[in-house]
Amino acid sequence: MASSGIGPVDLSVEPDLQPLYPTPAQIGDLLLPSVGLSPSQKTELVSHCVIRACVFADISLLSFLLSDHHAQAFVDLSKQDEDGLGLISIAILGFGSESERDIEREECVRLLVSEGCDVNVADYAGWTALHYASLLSPPTLVSYLLTHGSSPLALTRRNLTPLDIVTAHSTVPGREDVAFLLEEAMREVGWKGGRMEEQRRSLEKRMRRIGRRRHVQEEIEKTLGIHSRWWGDEDAFFSPDSDEEPEDEVLPDSMLTPPPDFSSMLVFSPMTLPDIFQSLITDFPPSLRNAEPANALYMMSRFACLNCDHNWVEDLIIGATDAIEDVFFNHAEDPTYLIFWLYNTTVWLHLMRCDNAISRTCEWLGSLALIEEILNSVFVFIIRFAERRIDELLDAALLDYSPLSSEFESIQFESEWSFLRSFGAGKKKANGGASSANTVRGAPPMSPTQLSRPPSPPNPQPSASSPNARTFASIRQTLSRARAPSSATPLQSLFSDPQHPPPPSPKDAISFMTALHTLLVLSGINPAIVTQFWSQVMYWTACEIFNRVLTRKKYLCRSRAVQISMNLGVIEEWIGSMELPRGVGSHFAPVHDLLNWLQCLSSITEFANLIATIQTMKHLNPLQMRRAVRDYKYEVNEGRMTEECNQYLAQLQKDWERHRVKMGVEQLRKELGEREREREESISASPSLHDVPIASDQASSISQESAAQRSIDALFDRTQEKLLWEPAKAPDPLGELLDSRYMLPLLLPSDPRMLGALPTKPPTLDDEKRTGIRISFDGSSRSESRASFGNRGAMGWRLSKHLRDIGPSTLQYVDGSRAAARWTRPVEIEDEEGDKPPPPYASDDPNDESGELKLDTEVVHLTALTRAPSGRSRGRASVVNGTPIDQIGDPLAPQ
């Protein structure tokens, strides 16, 4: 048996060169010369332990490897893993996984940098340690890397800097400090802002704008009750570029007066007008800044004027205006319908007046006057809507609301019983009022001497030095001295019932007016119309406040006068904050004079003071002054006007009544003279001598109208300030009350191009305008300068070419409601026995019998407008002997 030779078997254990949890003691033993590891094995072991120390932030192991004399020779600080990550990047990637070891991890990075590890080593994607640190590590480590050689301009393979990583589209939450450090470091090396930063800032600005628009939309919907479909396409309304239109665009004449071809016309037949009006006007859904109806009616008017006779024009204009009138009559309580058709009638009139090819013809036919009449009607409907809403808040928010309730409620008046006041206070608290409790429940009523109230002003002593100073003395100074204690929270407010809403205040009125004004501006209503709208609303508000104060005895006292004056100050401050002309608030002048008269009449004890006071009250007549004195409520211990002053006011009243009779007779003669002159003109008679004074009155009225028209035109002059604008003046009242039903004339700009002017962004959406004023829909608005802010400079307006944008989708409305199905599926024509083919288009050759369809795109003037207008009015039949269709015939029928 042969024996086989077996060599010696090495049973020694191979050392673990990649331990899972290496320790300094274990690595130190393996690196001893007695272990017998080869240099390659020692290099593999040390490299693996360095990476493990960086991954797990083992500062003790890393310090051992970098300081031990056996391991130093085998440490490679340029070591990269399979993804190309350097040692510093590997250590940084662990931030956030174990937050309790973040301090040790930062110390590991600092140790590697101090030992000479390259901080700008990039991985295969081009990311350096600073890229990872900007996204993961604390700002202290980012600052350390920047100060130890890390380049803030290092780019990845996709050309991204560390700042781009943090602020790609928007700043990563919690990394604002890191972004600031990177920006400063990049600016120090000559960086002036990159593309990504500009995109990020632009995106953040746009997102803030979109958020503000959403807030405005929600507030308008809540305040005015508007449905969300009014805003139309949400993407278009919230488009960031929607507000970036140029301030002014020069419209060429070719756009104002298009060439006379069918590219700027919409062909129609008078037989289809009812269906067109049904789909284009009656059933048209209103939406924000949608001028499709105006452009469609304008293009149809061009076809009727340039290719047809006056009957076609009158059928179109009269039918359209009747349909528009029916729409806003049926939706008088919906502001979206009213504002939508105010915008479209204004645009329609603008397009018609700017088109030189048809403007003179339509002016001669009276068509433009019909459009202006409809525009004025819908303008009045919006005014009435605003008046109804303000009327609901007028008494509670402006007349009864007391901004200083604790000071005013303790004032006593003559002939007023104290125990009735206690019942009244309890009633106010039950209704959710802001009055404070003066007595404890169950306690007996307090006597007048026990009540705590500010003292009434003492009777002024005669003095020859300053008679007017005492004339306008009021309790405003007394209340201002007592205002500080009222700033504390009343005790009963801590136990108030949250189910009862707070009483109305001027903030509620301001909230409604802000929402309505913002909606008018966003809807593109002409700035001159917006200004005149608020002028009319403020005129009505001033008249109603004046009449209610003068006719209700509870308001005829100096304390209520101060209270109402403070509430009016909020309204006047709102006018400036909305950047409306100062003349809009000039209608409150009679109200201010009446309130000043109520505050000072009890202090007038000398005849000279009375004369000086009356001379300052330029907006009050003697009847109104006498009525306020007669029904005035005197406080306890308040002074009274002397008998001599009362007699003088009575004499002024008698003189004014005689003046009233004289003015009434003159007005009657004027009306009779006008009727006589109209009768004489109807029979072509020469004017009589009695017409001379009438002509002078007419000349004065014409001069007033021309001045008002120049004032409107000046609003569009960018060289003039809007504070110079003055509204049309209402007739001076001859009696005690003001005429709140009087309508100020609506004046349109003389330049037809200005009819298409659009307002600038409202202050609620403009960042630059919001810096000096805080505007919110809760009614709080405080300006830096109450008297001057918002009234300086020219009125903001701009022209836009998008006003004439019209798409193919408008054709579905022109086809009529019955033909709308053609736009969703093709029309199938079935040949049935007895059916006649549709009439072909008119051909130049009457003998053409080929049967081919021929389209003639040349403009053919069927009937020239040489006859006088038919004199038809809106709502009547077209002509006496049949309809225009019967007389003219079908224009599409074969000739």
Side-chain angles (χ1 to χ4, degrees), residues 488-508:
T489 304
L491 182 61
Q492 70 274 12
S493 63
L494 301 176
F495 304 96
S496 59
D497 190 357
Q499 296 181 355
H500 293 284
S505 66
K507 292 183 179 181
D508 299 317

Side-chain angles (χ1 to χ4, degrees), residues 576-587:
S577 66
M578 292 293 109
E579 299 186 352
L580 294 170
R582 187 172 55 187
V584 173
S586 63
H587 300 294

Side-chain angles (χ1 to χ4, degrees), residues 350-421:
H350 159 69
L351 298 175
M352 299 282 283
R353 284 194 178 277
C354 290
D355 194 340
N356 296 327
I358 64 175
S359 59
R360 295 183 61 183
T361 301
C362 294
E363 185 73 28
W364 179 60
L365 292 174
S367 301
L368 299 182
L370 290 179
I371 302 176
E372 291 179 2
E373 180 183 347
I374 285 297
L375 192 152
N376 185 78
S377 299
V378 68
F379 177 75
V380 172
F381 266 71
I382 300 178
I383 289 174
R384 295 293 179 250
F385 168 78
E387 290 175 354
R388 287 191 297 270
R389 292 291 300 270
I390 295 177
D391 184 64
E392 298 174 358
L393 302 169
L394 195 59
D395 288 341
L398 296 179
L399 297 179
D400 295 332
Y401 178 76
S402 177
L404 303 174
S405 58
S406 59
E407 284 85 353
F408 284 118
E409 70 176 6
S410 58
I411 297 178
Q412 278 191 305
F413 298 95
E414 294 182 356
S415 304
E416 186 179 62
W417 293 0
S418 60
F419 71 90
L420 292 178
R421 289 177 54 83

Side-chain angles (χ1 to χ4, degrees), residues 260-466:
D261 54 22
F262 285 104
S263 63
S264 60
M265 302 180 191
L266 287 178
V267 181
F268 69 96
S269 172
M271 293 181 296
T272 61
L273 280 180
D275 294 331
I276 293 176
F277 295 152
Q278 182 71 25
S279 60
L280 187 62
I281 298 176
T282 305
D283 297 336
F284 195 91
S287 58
L288 186 70
R289 286 194 185 183
N290 188 352
E292 280 186 324
N295 282 277
L297 292 173
Y298 162 67
M299 299 176 71
M300 294 168 65
S301 302
R302 279 183 56 86
F303 169 73
C305 287
L306 299 178
N307 299 276
C308 308
D309 67 352
H310 64 87
N311 289 318
W312 287 55
V313 179
E314 290 178 340
D315 283 338
L316 173 64
I317 302 297
I318 293 176
T321 51
D322 284 338
I324 294 174
E325 187 179 36
D326 292 339
V327 168
F328 64 75
F329 260 94
N330 296 330
H331 301 85
E333 295 297 330
D334 192 344
T336 57
Y337 278 90
L338 302 179
I339 295 177
F340 174 77
W341 285 111
L342 178 63
Y343 173 69
N344 273 272
T345 50
T346 307
V347 174
W348 187 19
L349 183 62
H350 159 69
L351 298 175
M352 299 282 283
R353 284 194 178 277
C354 290
D355 194 340
N356 296 327
I358 64 175
S359 59
R360 295 183 61 183
T361 301
C362 294
E363 185 73 28
W364 179 60
L365 292 174
S367 301
L368 299 182
L370 290 179
I371 302 176
E372 291 179 2
E373 180 183 347
I374 285 297
L375 192 152
N376 185 78
S377 299
V378 68
F379 177 75
V380 172
F381 266 71
I382 300 178
I383 289 174
R384 295 293 179 250
F385 168 78
E387 290 175 354
R388 287 191 297 270
R389 292 291 300 270
I390 295 177
D391 184 64
E392 298 174 358
L393 302 169
L394 195 59
D395 288 341
L398 296 179
L399 297 179
D400 295 332
Y401 178 76
S402 177
L404 303 174
S405 58
S406 59
E407 284 85 353
F408 284 118
E409 70 176 6
S410 58
I411 297 178
Q412 278 191 305
F413 298 95
E414 294 182 356
S415 304
E416 186 179 62
W417 293 0
S418 60
F419 71 90
L420 292 178
R421 289 177 54 83
S422 63
F423 292 142
K427 183 178 180 181
K428 288 182 181 179
K429 287 190 292 183
N431 294 332
S435 62
S436 60
N438 292 329
T439 60
V440 183
R441 180 181 298 182
M446 302 176 67
S447 63
T449 58
Q450 295 173 329
L451 290 173
S452 175
R453 65 176 182 89
S456 298
N459 295 332
Q461 300 298 328
S463 174
S465 60
S466 58

Side-chain angles (χ1 to χ4, degrees), residues 146 170 222 230 251 303 417 484 516 547 566 579 583 590 604 644 646 653 655 848:
L146 290 172
S170 61
K222 181 177 64 175
W230 157 257
L251 303 180
F303 169 73
W417 293 0
L516 183 56
N547 296 340
M566 297 174 66
E579 299 186 352
I604 299 177
E644 180 184 8
N646 282 323
Q653 179 181 359
D655 296 341
D848 187 8

Side-chain angles (χ1 to χ4, degrees), residues 31 168 262 385 534 713 851:
L31 293 177
F262 285 104
F385 168 78
W534 286 115
D713 294 336

